[in-house]
């Protein structure tokens, strides 16, 4: 977690390569650049400073669209980064074809300081892999490139089925919108649920999609003649603190349990039980960050029933018990105030 007491915002440097996808290039600025602290008594402070750079001196960079962009920073900006983000490009050349960095790109990445957090969006993972950042580590990329990515970089443990992978100081995401999920995840990791949820609301996107959620769902949008599971999910979210059985959710849509489970997976990409656990973990995080409720009460209000169950689920999802999670975010908030 990043301490909010620092006067200088965390610097995110976005590397724009020729052939960059404009949508993905804009994600870091939209998510990190709009993230503000939750201090009371006034407008929050900027938590991130986002700049875009090229591997060449300042100037135009081609995109995959019918326009170029004017980038005002050269590769020296990489030496100032706390986090480097590499969006996808359709002109990776030797990186994509041979798994090899060009001299120009290698020289630029050599400017990155040791310990800098490295992030890729979609096929930006090819750049991280070619630079050696992913050797022996788990990573993902767009599902359509996963097989080629694995053949090109056999030393990388590729998981083609997830939205993103957080491996500490190196993070990779699947295609396009998964980059939004990964950036929101980083804001949540750095500054907590409240900050991430606020920027998600401003961006009009779901505040949380777990990284383990499937990136490729064969029928992501149900055909018109089929019912959806939207009402059941809304019903469940309104009563997370109570026991919720699969048959109860199915009844909200007037479906059999078997049909409901199949439709739910088609729409959401995970089982109803997995989804319920994710939502309860998210509720527990919010309560731990924003209230003084006891751990037992948080467990009850989030639907886990007991502190032991809450501890097990939070440990599995976040790697820390509830008391440590609360202490981390509360100490940061106290310092900021």
């Amino acid at each position: 977690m990043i301490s909010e007491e620092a006067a200088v915002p965390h610097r995110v440097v976005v590397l724009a390569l020729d052939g960059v996808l404009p949508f993905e290039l804009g994600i870091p600025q939209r998510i990190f650049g709009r993230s503000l602290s939750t201090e009371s008594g006034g407008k929050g402070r900027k938590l991130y400073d986002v700049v875009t750079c090229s591997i060449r001196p300042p100037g135009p960079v081609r995109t995959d669209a019918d326009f170029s962009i004017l980038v005002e920073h050269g590769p020296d900006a990489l030496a100032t980064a706390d986090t480097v983000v590499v969006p996808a490009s359709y002109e990776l050349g030797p990186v994509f074809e041979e798994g090899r960095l060009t001299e120009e790109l290698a020289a630029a990445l050599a400017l990155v300081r040791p310990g800098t957090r490295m992030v890729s969006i979609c096929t930006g993972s090819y750049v991280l892999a070619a630079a050696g950042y992913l050797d022996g580590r788990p990573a993902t990329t767009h599902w359509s490139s996963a097989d080629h990515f694995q053949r090109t970089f056999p030393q990388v443990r590729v998981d083609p089925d997830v939205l993103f992978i957080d491996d500490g100081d190196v993070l990779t995401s699947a295609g396009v919108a998964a980059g939004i999920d990964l950036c929101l995840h980083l804001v949540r990791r750095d500054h907590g649920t409240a900050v991430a949820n606020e920027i998600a609301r401003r961006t009009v996107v779901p505040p949380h999609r777990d990284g383990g959620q499937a990136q490729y769902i064969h029928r992501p949008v149900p055909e018109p003649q089929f019912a959806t599971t939207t009402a059941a999910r809304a019903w469940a979210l309104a009563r997370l603190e109570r026991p919720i059985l699969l048959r109860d959710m199915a009844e909200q849509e007037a479906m059999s349990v078997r049909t409901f489970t199949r439709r739910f997976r088609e729409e959401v990409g995970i089982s109803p039980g997995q989804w319920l656990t994710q939502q309860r973990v998210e509720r527990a995080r919010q309560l731990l960050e924003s209230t003084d409720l006891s751990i037992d009460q948080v467990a009850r209000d989030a639907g886990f029933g007991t502190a032991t169950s809450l501890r097990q689920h939070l440990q599995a999802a976040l790697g820390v018990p509830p008391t440590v999670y609360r202490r981390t975010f509360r100490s940061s908030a106290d310092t900021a105030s």
Side-chain angles (χ1 to χ4, degrees):
M1 178 176 182
I2 296 173
S3 172
E4 293 186 14
E5 67 179 326
V8 179
H10 182 96
R11 172 161 277 212
V12 177
V13 176
V14 186
L15 181 58
L17 301 171
D18 282 329
V20 69
L21 281 64
F23 179 89
E24 297 182 14
L25 178 64
I27 290 172
Q29 176 61 50
R30 189 64 183 85
I31 302 299
F32 296 118
R34 300 293 181 90
S35 294
L36 303 175
S37 66
T38 55
E39 296 170 347
S40 59
K43 184 178 180 181
R45 296 172 293 104
K46 283 185 62 176
L47 297 174
Y48 301 91
D49 174 33
V50 184
V51 299
T52 303
C53 79
S54 169
I55 60 174
R56 298 184 296 272
V61 172
R62 295 189 303 275
T63 73
D64 79 321
D66 62 342
F67 58 84
S68 296
I69 58 172
L70 182 62
V71 176
E72 298 183 357
H73 299 274
D76 289 349
L78 292 168
T80 71
D82 299 305
T83 293
V84 171
V85 180
V86 185
S89 164
Y90 283 159
E91 297 182 24
L92 291 177
V95 176
F96 186 82
E97 297 160 6
E98 307 169 31
R100 174 178 61 83
L101 296 176
T102 63
E103 290 185 10
E104 196 173 31
L105 181 52
L109 291 174
L111 298 172
V112 177
R113 296 172 298 177
T116 299
R117 187 164 62 186
M118 303 298 293
V119 177
S120 67
I121 298 176
C122 193
T123 54
S125 55
Y126 278 77
V127 175
L128 298 193
Y133 287 106
L134 300 180
D135 288 357
R137 306 181 79 154
T140 193
T141 191
H142 193 284
W143 62 267
S144 66
S145 298
D147 288 343
H148 178 269
F149 185 66
Q150 184 67 90
R151 291 194 303 271
T152 306
F153 304 104
Q155 70 276 24
V156 180
R157 306 203 311 269
V158 181
D159 187 340
D161 298 321
V162 296
L163 293 178
F164 61 83
I165 290 178
D166 179 345
D167 197 38
D169 60 340
V170 179
L171 301 94
T172 54
S173 77
V176 196
I180 299 176
D181 296 309
L182 177 53
C183 290
L184 283 172
H185 167 76
L186 278 172
V187 173
R188 185 178 295 106
R189 194 179 96 173
D190 291 346
H191 297 289
T193 300
V195 174
N197 285 356
E198 179 59 27
I199 189 60
R201 281 192 292 269
R202 290 177 179 273
T203 311
V204 197
V205 295
H208 179 66
R209 289 200 300 169
D210 185 76
Q213 183 170 325
Q215 62 167 289
Y216 182 56
I217 305 169
H218 288 278
R219 194 173 65 197
V221 179
E223 297 174 17
Q225 66 267 31
F226 290 119
T228 73
T229 61
T230 304
R233 278 178 275 149
W235 176 85
L237 286 173
R239 49 183 48 77
L240 282 178
E241 73 282 1
R242 309 176 199 173
I244 297 175
L245 301 177
L246 183 56
R247 68 168 180 268
D248 296 332
M249 294 183 69
E251 286 175 0
Q252 305 308 308
E253 306 290 359
M255 296 181 189
S256 68
V257 169
R258 183 177 180 180
T259 298
F260 176 80
T261 301
R262 175 169 53 83
R263 295 275 169 78
F264 196 99
R265 279 190 175 275
E266 290 170 348
E267 290 181 40
V268 183
I270 54 178
S271 72
Q274 291 170 317
W275 178 84
L276 271 174
T277 297
Q278 287 182 4
Q279 304 310 309
R280 284 173 165 152
V281 167
E282 187 69 11
R283 175 71 60 81
R285 292 173 69 166
Q286 293 171 356
L287 293 173
L288 289 168
E289 291 178 28
S290 61
T291 75
D292 294 316
L293 295 175
S294 68
I295 300 301
D296 286 332
Q297 188 61 54
V298 169
R300 288 192 291 271
D301 288 355
F304 287 116
T306 67
T308 299
S309 179
L310 170 62
R311 189 175 303 109
Q312 291 171 343
H313 283 93
L314 212 65
Q315 187 78 45
L318 306 176
V320 295
T323 52
V324 173
Y325 184 84
R326 167 173 275 170
R327 189 183 311 123
T328 300
F329 283 96
R330 282 301 180 87
S331 61
S332 174
D334 293 343
T335 301
S337 61

